[in-house]
């Protein structure tokens, strides 16, 4: 259980528009009681939106009953159908978002690994904290090895998570294993935390015969239905509306399943650059109108390839957009894995309240690595900027400092861990690199459920070429050689 | 598969001993890495495209300046050996220099673009005219249409052709129909050019390999242009920016670095309504555009040697509207036609070309029009070499068409 902690979720439902940017009670109140008060207000009080999408209930939606109020002679506000709680004013005041205080960034630890609020402390058990640390280190070692392997020409492409390990690993650790996940591409840690094995990573990266994706996707486009993570698509932001729809599916299933069955949510990751796509806006809006149990996690790492956030948007990050869609919102320090975990747990809880509602979390980070192996970021940012960030703060060192502060970690343990993980990664690397490529039939299978008549003629034509010009093709590097095409053709559609 | 020159895998460990050391050499983008396109050592046809010697490129200043499409003064001028992305850069530079109305923008354009086509343009012309857009293709294309409709000449870059689809509505419903729906008001979005890198590079998989030209050739109002070389890229892009029709300008990304040739230094404009006969021949006509022209050229060389035939090669250049007369004249002469393109066969450009030939030159045909194209599937990473037309398939198509 998440303890009551001062994690103030910006809840558009309960406060008039401009104030949502800084929920600050004008009176003094302990953080704890302030938190529970806000939660109480937000989630016990029937929200005006609460019933709109509740397919199982017959009651008249609140917004319909509200309409009649518009005609009351001394009404302070007219309930225009498009803005329900707007009061009249005789002051013509232009709302200037730049005058608002920026949305605060939630942290549990400071950058020296010290707990900021000792009273609340850290709820993560020591053992679990050690597991999280080991996973983050393992991820960063795998990243270093694979980046270098790409440089040596042993795989075509790779993307590192440097600086964002805590976001992926921390958030994934706060979910239930059956929650459904959609990723962008820089969330390797989500897979790792869920139990994707080093062998599975390597098989995908080398697109070999054991690759779950059947050798069809570029490196780092992982996916596995066993861990409830959908396969990554290179096209940015397309997964965000999928997440809304999938969450609606879960909402219906949550409502009809037996009451003691675990309820599920959808979690969707994306970058602050991807959040500029129309799909992001469409997704959050439809998620709000359908009140779906989804947590949208934006990794704001300051860059979209070379584009700095100043060319990407002019609002207060991505978190400020939550209010626009009427979605509860949090902003979190992504370098603080405890903050990430607590925020994600809280968001998960909120997402399941009242049969479902979307939540937006903006995780702040800095992209320490190059965008990908195809990028040289020193063409658009100063080396010193990167070095500064590396030195200043980082999710791995911050947790390490905390662990060391509790005498759970030291230099020897560090050395032992690093050398063990390096060996594990390299031996998985070795195994995967030696395997054959997947069967050629996978070039054609699964486009449709069954091979079409036209495809059949294409396969036949290709097989004919491969057989008549055997010296021109390396079919034997593929499992089953040309014969796999015979299998495909023999299969009755 | 892994060549022996690669350091042993354990050498990777060395890196880990000095994890803070800067290790990154100057990176290049996706187009590099030849190691991942593989043909076996014994191959005679596949992997025989030699960019250094291919007749598709001008290796000397003399042949570059012989081009009859160039105006007199350009033909008397200088040439410079440049690659395709530099040729694009030079065309953009000239347009920015000579026409105040020219704007250049897109995702990551300011630092030069992920393929370096817009390098130094923001520095030289200012970020009012050369700038980064937020990451939204529908947004930036719609923005470009609006700017064009009010008199600017925007050149919008889509980072990869595979990512043009969010802008599909803007292109098909807006750009293409702007003039038509404005009626006698005559308002249009001429001057709009949408550039995008397209085509296979050997390891781009589903989302870095597509050639979606056929989706745009189905749309009257658009012009679809695909250059084969640096010279063509420069002249066709300059004409596109000057055109009063919206243009889809697809740049074969594998050619950005691979295609290097002598290009006239002076600006020049190439026609947007003319196909070009690259090589004359008597027995069969091959119609293609972009990267596969190199494949065709290598296949023709082998076929002419092996079969003693003579093959004509045509570059469509403008895929829509296309130069039907040049193609039909050629096929009426040879009696045989093969269409080659990377994208899928189903409802592709080849279908349109073949149907037109069948309609207008039926009695002259000695064999069915053959299509050598991508198959009806997606470009799976490990299967690209089987899917995208190669020298062997074109060579075999020549043989089959001659033997029919
Ligand atoms: C629709 C689409 N447009 C463009 C691209 C090219 N592209 C790949 S990653 C990227 C930047 C994404 O930045 P961000 O969302 O901030 O994620 P980050 O890389 O920072 O993790 C771009 C422009 C793409 N993959 N898809
Ligand atoms: Mg980013």
């Amino acid at each position: 259980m998440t303890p009551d902690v001062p994690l103030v979720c910006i809840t558009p439902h309960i406060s008039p528009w401009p104030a949502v940017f800084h929920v600050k009670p004008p009176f003094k109140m302990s953080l704890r009681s302030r938190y529970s008060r806000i939660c109480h207000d937000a989630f016990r009080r029937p929200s005006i939106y609460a019933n709109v999408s509740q397919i199982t209930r017959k009651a008249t939606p609140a917004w319909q009953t509200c309409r009649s109020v518009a005609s009351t002679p001394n009404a302070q506000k007219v309930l225009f159908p498009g803005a329900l709680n707007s009061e009249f004013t005789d002051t013509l005041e232009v709302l200037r978002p730049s005058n608002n205080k920026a949305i605060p960034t939630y942290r549990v630890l400071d950058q020296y690994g010290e707990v900021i609020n000792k009273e609340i402390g850290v709820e993560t058990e020591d053992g679990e904290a050690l597991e999280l640390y080991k996973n983050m280190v393992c991820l960063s070692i795998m990243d270093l090895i694979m980046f270098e392997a790409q440089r040596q020409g042993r795989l075509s492409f790779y993307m590192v998570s440097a600086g964002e390990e805590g976001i992926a690993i921390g958030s994934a650790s706060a979910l239930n294993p059956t929650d459904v996940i959609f990723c962008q591409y820089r969330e390797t840690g989500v897979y790792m935390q869920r139990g994707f094995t080093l062998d599975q990573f390597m098989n995908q990266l080398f697109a070999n015969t054991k690759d779950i994706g059947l050798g069809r996707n570029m490196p780092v486009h992982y996916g596995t239905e066993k861990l409830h993570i959908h396969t990554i698509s290179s096209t940015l932001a397309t997964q965000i509306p999928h997440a809304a729809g999938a969450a609606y599916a879960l909402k219906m299933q949550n409502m009809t399943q037996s009451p003691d069955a675990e309820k599920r949510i959808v979690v969707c990751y994306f970058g602050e650059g991807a959040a500029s796509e129309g799909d992001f806006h469409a997704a959050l809006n439809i998620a709000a109108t359908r009140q779906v149990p989804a947590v949208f996690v934006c990794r704001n790492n300051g860059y979209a390839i070379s584009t700095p956030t100043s060319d990407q948007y002019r609002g207060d990050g991505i978190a400020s957009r939550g209010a626009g869609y009427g979605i509860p919102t949090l902003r979190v320090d992504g370098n603080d894995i405890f903050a990430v975990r607590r925020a994600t747990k809280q968001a998960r809880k909120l997402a399941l309240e009242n049969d479902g509602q979307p939540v937006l979390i903006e995780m702040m980070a800095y992209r320490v690595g190059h965008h990908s192996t195809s990028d040289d970021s020193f063409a658009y940012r100063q080396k010193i900027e990167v070095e500064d960030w590396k030195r200043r703060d980082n999710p791995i060192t911050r947790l390490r400092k905390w662990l060391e502060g509790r005498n759970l970690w030291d230099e020897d343990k560090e050395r032992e861990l690093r050398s063990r993980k390096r060996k594990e990664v390299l031996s998985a690397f070795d195994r995967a690199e030696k395997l054959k490529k997947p069967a050629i039939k996978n070039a054609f299978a699964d486009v449709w459920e069954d091979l079409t008549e036209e495809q059949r003629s294409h396969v036949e034509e290709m097989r004919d070429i491969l057989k008549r010009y055997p010296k021109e093709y390396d079919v034997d590097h593929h499992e089953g050689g040309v014969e796999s095409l015979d299998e495909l053709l023999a299969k009755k559609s | 598969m892994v060549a022996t020159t690669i350091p042993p895998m354990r050498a990777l460990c060395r890196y880990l001993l000095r994890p803070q050391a800067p290790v990154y050499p100057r990176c290049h983008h996706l187009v590099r890495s030849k190691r991942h396109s593989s043909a076996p050592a014994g191959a005679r046809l596949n992997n025989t495209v030699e960019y250094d010697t291919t007749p598709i490129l001008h290796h000397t200043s003399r042949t570059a300046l012989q081009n009859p499409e160039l105006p007199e003064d350009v033909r008397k001028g200088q040439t410079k050996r440049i690659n395709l992305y530099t040729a694009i850069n030079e065309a953009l530079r000239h347009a920015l220099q000579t026409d105040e109305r020219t704007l250049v923008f897109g995702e990551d354009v300011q630092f030069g673009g992920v393929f370096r086509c817009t390098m130094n343009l923001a520095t030289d012309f200012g970020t009012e005219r050369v700038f980064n857009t937020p990451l939204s293709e529908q947004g930036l294309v719609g923005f470009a249409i609006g700017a064009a409709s009010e008199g600017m000449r925007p050149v919008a870059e889509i980072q990869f052709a595979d990512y043009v689809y969010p802008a599909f509505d803007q292109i098909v419903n807006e750009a293409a129909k702007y003039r038509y729906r404005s009626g006698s008001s005559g308002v249009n979005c001429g001057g709009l050019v949408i550039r995008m890198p397209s085509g296979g590079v050997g390891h781009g998989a589903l989302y870095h390999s597509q050639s979606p030209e056929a989706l745009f050739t189905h749309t009257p109002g658009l012009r679809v242009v695909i250059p084969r070389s640096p010279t063509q890229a420069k002249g066709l892009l300059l004409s596109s920016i000057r055109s009063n029709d919206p243009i889809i300008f697809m740049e074969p990304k594998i050619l950005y670095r691979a295609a290097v040739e002598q290009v006239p230094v002076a600006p020049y404009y190439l026609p947007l309504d003319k196909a070009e006969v690259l090589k004359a021949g008597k027995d069969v006509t091959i119609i293609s555009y972009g990267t596969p022209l190199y494949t065709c050229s290598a296949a023709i060389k082998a076929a002419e040697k092996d079969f003693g035939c003579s093959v004509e090669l045509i570059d469509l250049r403008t895929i829509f509207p296309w130069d039907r007369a040049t193609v039909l004249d050629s096929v009426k002469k040879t009696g045989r036609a093969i269409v080659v393109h990377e994208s899928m066969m189903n409802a592709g450009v080849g279908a349109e070309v073949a149907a037109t030939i069948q309609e207008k030159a039926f009695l002259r045909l000695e064999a069915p029009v053959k299509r050598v194209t991508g198959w009806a599937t997606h470009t799976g990473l490990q299967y690209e070499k089987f899917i995208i037309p190669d020298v062997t398939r074109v060579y075999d198509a020549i043989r089959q068409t001659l033997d029919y």
Side-chain angles (χ1 to χ4, degrees), chain A residues 217-275:
Chain A
N217 301 309
M218 272 176 75
V220 314
H221 291 55
Y222 312 111
T224 163
E225 89 294 354
K226 294 221 169 58
L227 301 175
H228 304 283
I229 315 180
H230 286 259
T231 303
I232 288 165
S233 158
S234 308
T235 47
L236 288 169
T238 47
Q239 82 280 17
I240 316 176
H242 301 168
Y248 195 59
L250 296 193
K251 174 178 177 141
M252 313 270 267
Q253 292 160 19
N254 285 345
M255 286 192 305
T256 50
Q257 72 191 7
S258 85
D260 39 290
E262 195 79 68
K263 288 195 183 352
R264 303 198 290 157
I265 67 159
V266 169
V267 179
C268 180
Y269 295 85
F270 50 92
E272 89 293 340

Side-chain angles (χ1 to χ4, degrees), chain A residues 179-184 230 237-251 264-270 279-280 282-284 286-288 290-297 357-359:
Chain A
D179 290 338
V180 173
I181 294 182
F182 290 83
C183 289
Q184 179 161 311
H230 286 259
T238 47
Q239 82 280 17
I240 316 176
H242 301 168
Y248 195 59
L250 296 193
K251 174 178 177 141
R264 303 198 290 157
I265 67 159
V266 169
V267 179
C268 180
Y269 295 85
F270 50 92
D279 276 347
F280 163 86
L284 266 71
I286 197 169
R290 299 315 306 164
Q291 289 289 287
V292 303
V295 176
F296 296 96
V297 180
Q357 63 173 339
V359 182

Side-chain angles (χ1 to χ4, degrees), chain A residues 153 214 277 306 370 443 469 473, chain B residues 24 35 137 377 383 390 396:
Chain A
L214 302 175
E277 289 281 4
S306 76
H370 299 292
Y469 296 90
Y473 299 94
Chain B
Y24 319 127
R35 301 206 29 242
E137 292 75 15
T377 185
Y383 315 107
D390 55 22
D396 192 65

Side-chain angles (χ1 to χ4, degrees), chain A residues 83-232:
Chain A
L84 290 175
N85 281 321
S86 175
E87 284 173 17
F88 288 122
T89 171
D90 56 6
T91 317
L92 184 61
E93 195 185 349
V94 176
L95 297 181
R96 292 183 198 278
S98 52
N99 291 345
N100 294 329
K101 217 177 136 214
I103 296 169
T105 301
Y106 180 72
R107 14 162 88 173
V108 172
L109 301 179
D110 65 17
Q111 68 217 61
Y112 310 104
E114 297 284 342
V115 178
I116 298 164
N117 188 328
K118 299 257 167 21
E119 200 187 319
I120 296 160
V122 168
E123 70 274 18
T124 305
E125 305 282 337
D126 288 351
E128 194 173 5
L130 282 167
E131 276 316 300
L132 296 171
Y133 183 73
K134 286 173 190 168
N135 279 347
M136 285 201 288
V137 169
C138 181
L139 172 56
S140 74
I141 287 175
M142 182 169 94
D143 278 355
L144 288 169
I145 292 178
M146 299 322 288
F147 191 94
E148 191 58 15
Q150 195 281 338
R151 285 285 178 267
Q152 293 184 3
R154 308 171 80 119
L155 74 161
S156 55
F157 181 79
Y158 192 73
M159 297 179 102
V160 303
S161 302
E164 296 172 60
E165 298 92 341
I167 295 174
I169 288 173
S171 60
S173 74
L175 300 173
N176 281 11
T178 53
D179 290 338
V180 173
I181 294 182
F182 290 83
C183 289
Q184 179 161 311
Y185 47 64
R186 212 182 295 287
E187 297 88 3
T188 305
V190 168
Y191 290 82
M192 193 173 272
Q193 181 64 28
R194 280 221 157 177
F196 208 66
T197 64
L198 288 175
D199 283 316
Q200 287 175 316
F201 281 120
M202 293 301 151
N203 292 336
Q204 199 286 332
L205 293 169
F206 285 106
N208 66 26
T209 184
K210 287 189 174 170
D211 168 22
I212 297 168
L214 302 175
R216 291 175 182 148
N217 301 309
M218 272 176 75
V220 314
H221 291 55
Y222 312 111
T224 163
E225 89 294 354
K226 294 221 169 58
L227 301 175
H228 304 283
I229 315 180
H230 286 259
T231 303
I232 288 165

Side-chain angles (χ1 to χ4, degrees), chain A residues 362-375:
Chain A
E362 183 179 27
M363 308 270 197
M364 307 312 293
Y366 181 83
R367 198 195 76 208
V368 174
H370 299 292
H371 169 72
S372 71
T373 49
S374 307
D375 175 46

